[in-house]
Amino acid sequence: MITLVTGGARSGKSRFAEQFAASISTNGMYIATAQAFDKEMRERIALHRTQRDNESFHWETWEAPLQLTHCLESILRHIEDNELLEEPVILIDCMTIWLSNWFMELDVENTGNEQLLDAIDTLLEYLQQYPYSIIIVSNEVGSGIVPRNKLGRMYRDEAGRLNQRIATLADKVFLVTAGIPLELKSLAYKLEGH
């Protein structure tokens, strides 16, 4: 089962995703995509890890700023090797940070766009066959202003397309606004013939 949780910055989406994970399993694998490039980000990451450690729900944290597919494969082997009593839920937080990591890794504006699209395709194909529940957190970036520069517009467009593709695969899609989650997929209007 794939669940997408999206919303704006500080909307409560990560908190909801963690609570949703706790409602479907007793333990989870938390895949963090953020990288600590400065002091503030190191502190932010440490705070999030401490908050997870202080919860009654057991999280095992994995880091995958770029190689999400490899990380998911490693988690799969880890689960099989440890013969866990209950299947864990996998939480990826978050796809838009993962996407920005790729934008920084590659020269997407000039030559790296094909590599980016290959990384996205590989991940989405892998997600479709993954045997455990996955909750994916992603920012909704299309509700803001149009970025001034080409790279910003490319990022916004790719983030929107990535969210749409994940939503197509997902069994549930939640939009979180002001801490209130709404499940969208069950409410989606169906056009005749589609």
Side-chain angles (χ1 to χ4, degrees):
M1 177 178 81
I2 298 173
T3 302
L4 173 63
V5 179
T6 189
R10 290 285 171 240
S11 63
K13 62 189 177 300
S14 293
R15 185 75 191 125
F16 170 73
E18 292 171 15
Q19 292 169 341
F20 186 72
S23 76
I24 61 176
S25 183
T26 59
N27 63 88
M29 305 292 175
Y30 192 103
I31 304 177
T33 61
Q35 299 180 83
F37 291 115
D38 58 37
K39 182 178 185 285
E40 187 272 336
M41 194 61 174
R42 283 190 295 277
E43 290 170 354
R44 186 182 291 241
I45 289 170
L47 175 64
H48 284 292
R49 189 180 284 255
T50 300
Q51 288 171 337
R52 286 194 305 275
D53 290 345
N54 289 333
E55 293 178 2
S56 58
F57 186 79
H58 174 72
W59 287 109
E60 186 172 323
T61 301
W62 297 67
E63 294 184 12
L66 292 168
Q67 301 301 332
L68 271 176
T69 304
H70 295 305
C71 183
L72 288 165
E73 288 171 347
S74 295
I75 288 173
L76 195 56
R77 285 191 301 275
H78 175 77
I79 293 168
E80 291 167 357
D81 291 347
N82 289 287
E83 299 176 1
L84 300 175
L85 295 176
E86 184 179 349
E87 291 183 2
V89 61
I90 316 299
L91 193 155
I92 301 171
D93 195 355
C94 87
M95 290 308 296
T96 40
I97 291 177
W98 176 80
L99 184 66
S100 69
N101 292 340
W102 275 108
F103 264 72
M104 290 187 292
E105 181 75 12
L106 304 170
D107 184 9
V108 173
E109 189 172 5
N110 297 305
T111 59
N113 200 41
E114 288 302 315
Q115 291 171 280
L116 173 66
L117 297 178
D118 287 345
I120 292 170
D121 288 344
T122 299
L123 175 63
L124 295 181
E125 286 171 19
Y126 189 71
L127 287 174
Q128 291 179 74
Q129 61 183 350
Y130 205 71
Y132 299 107
S133 295
I134 298 179
I135 301 169
I136 301 169
V137 177
S138 190
N139 283 289
E140 181 54 56
V141 298
S143 298
I145 60 171
V146 175
R148 254 181 107 169
N149 61 43
K150 178 183 175 185
L151 188 60
R153 290 188 297 275
M154 289 177 72
Y155 175 77
R156 182 218 39 205
D157 292 347
E158 284 306 325
R161 282 192 278 270
L162 179 58
N163 284 349
Q164 288 182 57
R165 290 182 68 188
I166 295 170
T168 299
L169 301 177
D171 301 284
K172 292 182 181 294
V173 177
F174 290 96
L175 172 66
V176 182
T177 303
I180 301 170
L182 301 172
E183 202 286 309
L184 300 178
K185 198 125 188 196
S186 63
L187 301 174
Y189 180 77
K190 306 283 191 256
L191 292 171
E192 284 188 40
H194 293 278

